[in-house]
Amino acid sequence: MRYAVAICVLLVGLAVAFAVLLEPRHGLIGTNLVDAIAQGAALAACLWTARRVCGAERRWRVLIGIQAGGGLLGSLLFVLMLQAGADVSGHIGRGYAFFLVNYAVALAGLLSLPTESMGGHSGAYRWYAITLLDCALVVGSLALLEWGTALGALVRADVPNLTQFVLALAYPVGGLVLATAVVLIASFRRPRSPAALGFLGLGLLASGITSNIFVYSVAHGRTELPPWLLIGFIIAFLLMFLAVLVPVPAASRPDRLVSPSARAMWMHAMLPYGVLCAAGALAVGKLLGGVGLDRFETYGMVGLLLVALVRQIVTLRENTQLLAAVRKRERQLHHQAFHDPLTGLANRAMFTRQLGRALEHDRGDLDNVDGPRPLSVLFLDLDEFKQVNDTFGHAVGDELLKISAKRLRAGTRPTDTVARLGGDEFAIILAGCGPVDPRMVGERLAAAIQAPCPLAGRPYAPRASLGLVTLDPANLPASPDILLHQADLAMYAAKRERAGRLVVYRPELALPTATAPTPSSPGSPGGASRR
């Protein structure tokens, strides 16, 4: 980079010497030659660095290289015409029509620069569309402001060749589009290489300013470029040359996304409309002052309003997609908050909530003719689960939990709530079993859960202890904690018997001699099986 900067300073100094010391025609030939050297250096740097990178880094270098190559061809043809003594002013329109293609290529290269959305959600095609629409609004509004304040009167007063003027006007408009795109990328995107974007942006800005100066020169009838004006184009291509030589940084990590501030998001939304409002205010002021709008101002304002409408439609579509994504994310978060991630069953929070709702419903059924619907809670604990983890590993233990959860879901109704409370503990709310005895349901589940299954490539017969409690209407009101504790006591009674069967809660199980430690106590018999 040090050698590249030295070469750039040398070439700019040489161009300044040609423009100042030589007579105009020879100075124009000299500065055009320096311009061709700058464009050739940019082209060579693009081709040289594009071979060493891939993806988006290669794509933007190739596109900028195409722009530099087109400019080099035009500069060499211009020098040959000057040396042959041809009148270049008559060819200025066709020449600049050719150069306009380079601006489309440069814009494609600029949009290909590797950047990331600060919010992490903007798709590439959506970003391209919004950038192009914003550029059209900003540049079109600036063109209307420039036309309405000074340029329009100048053109109406004296323009020798309107066609040449329109072609020359399109050149700075293209430069302004590129400069606006640079500002939008720098402000609302995170470029992978800020230095490359900075050099490229300054180069495009220098080209745009130089082109605007040329427009006013054409408006006054001077269609031949003065030598000093080419210095701006030389600086522009030398800055692009430096941008290509900036070392490629390592790709940023996806977990380091930076969320944009509310102010940045508001500015991004309002920037193009602010410039459009300024142009609209100028047009309204003219109408209120009794000054009519010319054809350029009228059609330009209508076109900008149509562009603004399209941008609003794109923004509305994005907002709708964002709202749908937010609602989907809310559903996912709600599911994660109330469900076990391993088995997909309800977790303890959801189980407690559902049990509380079932109890409230049963209190409301006290006045029914048939009495309240029976409400039962089944508590299940896998025996020797710690031994499975220690022998086969935690992955096999997780597989056993999934098999058990699947069997519990298959043996219950959709209206029942099956939950994993933690570790190897499961609980089921049997609400309103109707004519079916809850004990029969529990025994059926005990048989299903203890059926042999393949585990770690070999047959395995799980063992489980189950406790069942059925709500006694005489004991209302009850609480979820009381019911769960009673089912837990019944389960520990089954675990003490080591028979792998179901035990129904009895009041005597709550006596001090029969009370087992709670599942969360360190000394509980099942404590060794907790994970």
Side-chain angles (χ1 to χ4, degrees):
M1 286 295 292
R2 289 195 299 269
Y3 292 120
V5 171
I7 292 173
C8 293
V9 173
L10 179 63
L11 289 176
V12 172
L14 187 62
V16 171
F18 286 156
V20 173
L21 300 178
L22 300 179
E23 57 93 13
R25 191 170 187 85
H26 290 92
L28 191 59
I29 294 175
T31 50
N32 266 283
L33 284 175
V34 176
D35 191 20
I37 294 173
Q39 293 160 345
L43 174 61
C46 287
L47 297 178
W48 181 66
T49 57
R51 296 174 55 189
R52 290 161 172 78
V53 292
C54 58
E57 290 286 352
R58 173 180 293 177
R59 186 162 55 250
W60 81 264
R61 283 171 166 80
V62 170
L63 291 170
I64 295 299
I66 293 174
Q67 184 205 13
L72 174 61
L73 179 61
S75 296
L76 292 178
L77 290 176
F78 199 64
V79 169
L80 292 176
M81 291 173 61
L82 287 172
Q83 287 183 331
D87 182 13
V88 296
S89 61
H91 302 275
I92 194 75
R94 292 190 295 274
Y96 274 82
F98 166 77
F99 288 139
L100 286 177
V101 180
N102 275 356
Y103 274 92
V105 176
L107 181 60
L110 186 59
L111 295 179
S112 298
L113 271 172
T115 60
E116 298 171 359
S117 171
M118 289 187 178
H121 54 77
S122 294
Y125 293 108
R126 182 258 169 197
W127 159 247
Y128 295 155
I130 287 293
T131 302
L132 292 175
L133 291 172
D134 286 351
C135 289
L137 283 175
V138 172
V139 175
S141 301
L142 290 176
L144 279 181
L145 286 171
E146 192 174 3
W147 181 274
T149 53
L151 197 57
L154 183 63
V155 170
R156 286 189 293 268
D158 181 25
V159 174
N161 192 321
L162 186 60
T163 302
Q164 290 183 4
F165 174 78
V166 171
L167 289 172
L169 180 63
Y171 200 76
V173 167
L176 283 175
V177 169
L178 295 177
T180 304
V182 170
V183 172
L184 292 174
I185 293 173
S187 302
F188 309 114
R189 300 282 288 186
R190 189 175 61 173
R192 184 181 299 174
S193 176
L197 179 63
F199 281 126
L200 195 58
L202 289 175
L204 296 173
L205 182 62
S207 177
I209 293 174
T210 306
S211 300
N212 272 285
I213 296 174
F214 178 67
V215 167
Y216 280 93
S217 176
V218 173
H220 285 286
R222 296 189 295 269
T223 57
E224 186 171 338
L225 284 173
W228 57 267
L229 191 58
L230 283 174
I231 297 176
F233 294 118
I234 294 171
I235 294 175
F237 278 101
L238 290 177
L239 288 170
M240 296 178 196
F241 166 68
L242 295 177
V244 172
L245 294 180
V246 171
V248 179
S252 60
R253 295 191 323 213
D255 58 345
R256 297 180 59 189
L257 291 175
V258 180
S259 298
S261 64
R263 178 178 297 181
M265 295 175 66
W266 184 85
M267 288 179 60
H268 188 198
M270 295 306 298
L271 174 63
Y273 297 111
V275 187
L276 177 61
C277 288
L282 178 63
V284 172
K286 283 188 172 184
L287 293 174
L288 293 177
V291 179
L293 301 179
D294 59 22
R295 203 175 281 181
F296 180 85
E297 292 172 314
T298 302
Y299 292 153
M301 186 57 65
V302 172
L304 289 177
L305 291 176
L306 290 176
V307 174
L309 178 62
V310 173
R311 190 192 189 279
Q312 278 300 106
I313 293 174
V314 174
T315 304
L316 182 62
R317 179 175 180 271
E318 183 199 24
N319 291 340
T320 304
Q321 292 176 343
L322 288 177
L323 182 59
V326 168
R327 289 179 176 174
K328 180 180 179 181
R329 183 60 178 166
E330 287 177 349
R331 290 193 297 268
Q332 291 175 346
L333 291 176
H334 183 273
H335 186 273
Q336 293 172 3
F338 293 103
H339 289 80
D340 174 54
L342 178 64
T343 62
L345 299 178
N347 59 12
R348 181 180 289 271
M350 174 63 81
F351 179 84
T352 304
R353 172 187 287 189
Q354 293 295 97
L355 185 55
R357 290 177 177 175
L359 287 173
E360 291 290 336
H361 199 280
D362 273 17
R363 293 191 190 103
D365 284 346
L366 286 176
D367 298 332
N368 289 351
V369 176
D370 298 331
R373 299 176 303 170
L375 173 66
S376 302
V377 175
L378 181 68
F379 198 101
L380 182 148
D381 184 274
L382 296 177
D383 298 334
E384 301 177 350
F385 183 69
K386 183 178 184 299
Q387 184 178 350
V388 173
N389 279 334
D390 294 342
T391 304
F392 303 107
H394 287 277
V396 176
D398 290 344
E399 186 63 28
L400 178 58
L401 291 174
K402 293 178 183 178
I403 293 173
S404 302
K406 184 177 180 180
R407 289 175 171 180
L408 291 175
R409 275 197 301 260
T412 54
R413 302 167 302 171
T415 56
D416 299 329
T417 300
V418 184
R420 180 191 175 202
L421 302 185
D424 57 344
E425 293 178 342
F426 298 87
I428 304 171
I429 301 174
L430 302 172
C433 290
V436 181
D437 185 3
R439 179 165 186 161
M440 293 177 58
V441 176
E443 291 176 347
R444 186 174 70 246
L445 289 175
I449 207 74
Q450 297 180 98
C453 64
L455 200 66
R458 65 186 68 178
Y460 178 78
R463 302 285 293 174
S465 300
L466 297 90
L468 175 69
V469 60
T470 299
L471 178 63
D472 185 358
N475 293 332
L476 289 176
S479 69
D481 292 338
I482 292 175
L483 279 180
L484 190 59
H485 178 63
Q486 292 173 347
D488 192 31
L489 290 176
M491 182 274 296
Y492 275 111
K495 188 176 287 289
R496 285 193 300 271
E497 296 178 5
R498 297 182 179 275
R501 66 183 186 87
L502 174 73
V503 171
V504 179
Y505 172 77
R506 306 181 302 274
E508 54 267 25
L509 293 178
L511 296 177
T513 57
T515 302
T518 61
S520 59
S521 302
S524 65
S529 67
R530 306 294 182 265
R531 299 206 303 158

